[in-house]
Amino acid sequence: NENHAPSYVGLGHAYLETGDLKAAEKAFKKALSKKKKHAPAFNGLGLVYSQKKTELRRAIRYFRDANRADKTYSEAQYNLAKTLEAFGSTETIKEYRNVLKIDPKHHDAHYRIGKLLQRDREYENAVQAFRDQLEAYDAHDGARLQLGSLLKGLGKTDEAVMHLARVAASGGEFQRKGVLELAQVFQKRREFDKASQLFETYIGQLAEEEQTIYYDLKYVARGP
C-alpha cells in the first residue's frame, strides 16, 4: 500500500538508525504527503533536525506540530523537552513536566527534571525527582546513581549505600561510576577497608594506560 503513512515513518526511523538524515527527512515528508497532520511523521522530522545543531528551532517546531496533531503523544513531547534542553530554553522543566501529564510513569522524564534541578543546586527537589523516577521505573540506574550521589553529599550515607550498591552490582553503563561513588561514601564514613577494595575494583576496570596513572609513582612523586 503506497499510501500507508506509518510505513514511511518506519522507513524514516530506519534511515535515522543508519545516520542517513537526508533519506530520513524524505521518508517522513512522504508520510505527511500521504496523511496530513500525522503526528509520528512530524516527530520524525523533529528528530532529523534535532541532530543538526543549527536546526534546533526547526526541530522544536516539528515537535510542537506533532503535539498539536496528537495531544496524547508523549514521545513527541519528550523529544520537544530534550531539544529545548539542548537549546538552553528556560521552558525545559515545564515541558518535561508536560510529558508526565501525558505519561506519569514515563521512563526518563523525572530523571531529566532531577538533573536540571541538581544543576540549579535545588538538591532536595532533585532528590525527590530521582525518587519519583525510581518509583515510575525502578530499573533506571542513572536516577539511582544520581540519587545515591546526592544523598552522599547530604550526609544520608545509609540510604546512599543502599542505592549505590545496587548500581555498583548492576553491570550496566553506570556500574563503574557507582563503584567510585560507593567507595567515596565508605571513605567518608571512615570505613577504609571497604573503600580501598572498591577503589581497587574501580581502577581495575579502567583501560591499562589509565591504570598507570594510579600505580606509577612518577605521577605523584616529583623530584627536586
Side-chain angles (χ1 to χ4, degrees):
N1 182 357
E2 293 184 358
N3 293 317
H4 191 243
S7 294
Y8 289 107
V9 171
L11 184 61
H13 283 290
Y15 282 127
L16 275 178
E17 287 291 326
T18 66
D20 191 341
L21 298 183
K22 187 174 181 179
E25 179 184 10
K26 183 178 179 180
F28 291 129
K29 287 184 175 179
K30 190 75 170 179
L32 284 175
S33 74
K34 302 302 179 182
K35 184 177 180 180
K36 294 180 179 180
K37 298 184 179 179
H38 188 44
F42 284 131
N43 180 63
L45 286 168
L47 290 172
V48 169
Y49 290 113
S50 70
Q51 295 188 36
K52 303 177 181 181
K53 291 183 178 180
T54 60
E55 297 282 8
L56 293 184
R57 288 183 184 274
R58 186 179 295 189
I60 289 166
R61 287 200 299 272
Y62 277 119
F63 290 135
R64 292 197 187 280
D65 286 340
N67 286 335
R68 280 190 285 269
D70 183 355
K71 297 185 184 302
T72 67
Y73 192 21
S74 61
E75 182 181 344
Q77 178 61 44
Y78 174 68
N79 289 331
L80 170 63
K82 280 179 51 176
T83 307
L84 286 168
E85 182 177 355
F87 193 68
S89 172
T90 58
E91 298 180 11
T92 301
I93 289 181
K94 182 189 79 172
E95 296 298 350
Y96 278 125
R97 286 176 175 150
N98 285 337
V99 175
L100 295 168
K101 289 179 182 178
I102 301 170
D103 180 8
K105 295 292 185 180
H106 193 271
H107 70 281
D108 197 52
H110 285 296
Y111 171 69
R112 296 279 183 168
I113 291 170
K115 291 278 284 182
L116 291 167
L117 291 169
Q118 186 176 7
R119 180 201 65 188
D120 294 338
R121 299 185 179 182
E122 296 184 37
Y123 298 125
E124 292 292 348
N125 289 333
V127 163
Q128 187 57 53
F130 294 133
R131 290 191 198 281
D132 290 341
Q133 183 62 73
L134 292 174
E135 184 176 347
Y137 181 58
D138 185 66
H140 200 307
D141 284 340
R144 196 174 298 282
L145 173 65
Q146 293 303 131
L147 176 58
S149 178
L150 272 176
L151 291 169
K152 176 191 72 175
L154 294 170
K156 300 177 182 180
T157 58
D158 287 343
E159 189 180 356
V161 167
M162 179 183 71
H163 289 294
L164 293 172
R166 280 190 59 176
V167 179
S170 68
E173 63 175 302
F174 299 101
Q175 187 262 347
R176 190 169 70 180
K177 180 65 172 175
V179 169
L180 181 60
E181 289 285 335
L182 185 58
Q184 291 171 350
V185 173
F186 284 126
Q187 185 179 43
K188 187 173 184 177
R189 286 164 47 145
R190 304 183 69 79
E191 297 180 45
F192 298 121
D193 287 343
K194 291 180 180 179
S196 178
Q197 291 175 6
L198 287 163
F199 282 129
E200 290 285 347
T201 299
Y202 173 78
I203 294 170
Q205 294 173 337
L206 298 174
E208 187 174 345
E209 58 271 18
E210 292 181 84
Q211 292 185 34
T212 303
I213 298 172
Y214 294 93
Y215 290 122
D216 194 332
L217 291 179
K218 73 182 180 183
Y219 291 104
V220 293
R222 301 292 183 182

